[in-house]
Amino acid sequence: MSKIDHSLFSANKHALEKEYEICPQCGSELVIRNSKSGPFLGCASYPKCDFIRPLAHHDSNEIKILEDSACPQCSKPLVVKNGRYGMFIGCTGYPQCHYIANENEEKQNEEVLPSCPKCKKGHLVARSNKFGKVFYSCDCYPSCKYTLNNKPVEHPCPECNWPIVIERNMANGTLLQCPQKSCMHKLASTE
């Protein structure tokens, strides 16, 4: 059996411990510190100097500026950014302009959805959650919380006279069904 060099497995030293950066506030060396939320760089003369910085640099989340496209709200160029839920297209004038391009905007504008059967004031619109799954809800959201998981079709239910039915894609084709839990009437499949 070979001998093991236990100095290689020392737990009190970190591989990046000697980064040799200096503190911008006091000029001391920056060292890796640990907290409950993970490692960070902190000043070696801690009680006197309280400078800290995250280990990973996330200075810029902008990936590429799209010179040929302008923001429809403020006409500044759009930029591809990396955000919390992945990549998206937003405005370069971010703090003043909060425009974010929606990849489904063109599809949503072409598709005419029925009005909300619950509040009868708003219209149903297609939205997507943070995972990209599309659902349909009323555009008067805080006051009306009517949502559907399947695409609504303006066709009254023959059983309960609810003004819309939903389109469900089944293995043998598309099926129209009443969204009311008390009814759930299924209509003939459409081709």
Side-chain angles (χ1 to χ4, degrees):
M1 229 185 199
S2 66
K3 292 186 178 185
I4 297 174
D5 185 7
H6 292 286
S7 66
L8 295 174
F9 299 101
S10 168
N12 59 359
K13 295 285 183 186
H14 192 277
L16 298 174
E17 185 133 357
K18 294 294 181 186
E19 210 171 276
Y20 298 113
E21 289 188 44
I22 58 169
C23 175
Q25 288 181 359
C26 70
S28 296
E29 186 179 342
L30 292 180
V31 292
I32 293 181
R33 307 254 183 202
N34 290 307
S35 72
K36 64 181 178 180
S37 50
F40 63 94
L41 282 175
C43 186
S45 58
Y46 163 61
K48 294 180 215 165
C49 180
D50 61 350
F51 177 78
I52 60 171
R53 178 175 64 84
L55 265 179
H57 292 288
H58 294 295
D59 294 338
S60 176
N61 60 1
E62 293 184 0
I63 296 172
K64 183 180 179 186
I65 296 177
L66 305 171
E67 299 291 338
D68 57 340
S69 60
C71 174
Q73 294 177 356
C74 70
S75 4
K76 290 187 178 177
L78 295 177
V79 65
V80 178
K81 293 184 176 184
N82 194 7
R84 184 178 189 180
Y85 300 115
M87 293 184 0
F88 66 96
I89 297 174
C91 184
T92 53
Y94 163 63
Q96 292 80 24
C97 179
H98 292 277
Y99 176 76
I100 295 174
N102 187 354
E103 62 187 35
N104 297 329
E105 274 181 354
E106 296 83 21
K107 295 177 196 172
Q108 290 175 2
N109 292 339
E110 292 172 8
E111 193 174 16
V112 177
L113 296 172
S115 60
C116 179
K118 188 173 183 183
C119 71
K120 296 178 177 56
K121 295 176 186 171
H123 279 61
L124 295 176
V125 292
R127 299 177 191 243
S128 61
N129 63 12
K130 66 181 180 181
F131 303 110
K133 184 167 178 4
V134 175
F135 66 97
Y136 302 88
S137 66
C138 183
D139 59 358
C140 299
Y141 164 61
S143 60
C144 179
K145 296 181 179 168
Y146 187 73
T147 61
L148 295 168
N149 289 331
N150 299 32
K151 183 180 174 189
V153 177
E154 196 161 3
H155 183 280
C157 174
E159 289 288 316
C160 67
N161 291 327
W162 190 250
I164 63 167
V165 291
I166 56 173
E167 230 179 50
R168 294 190 61 200
N169 294 323
M170 308 299 268
N172 57 356
T174 305
L175 175 75
L176 296 177
Q177 183 177 2
C178 181
Q180 295 295 95
K181 289 184 180 178
S182 59
C183 180
M184 301 297 275
H185 179 74
K186 294 178 179 148
L187 282 78
S189 62
T190 60
E191 300 300 326

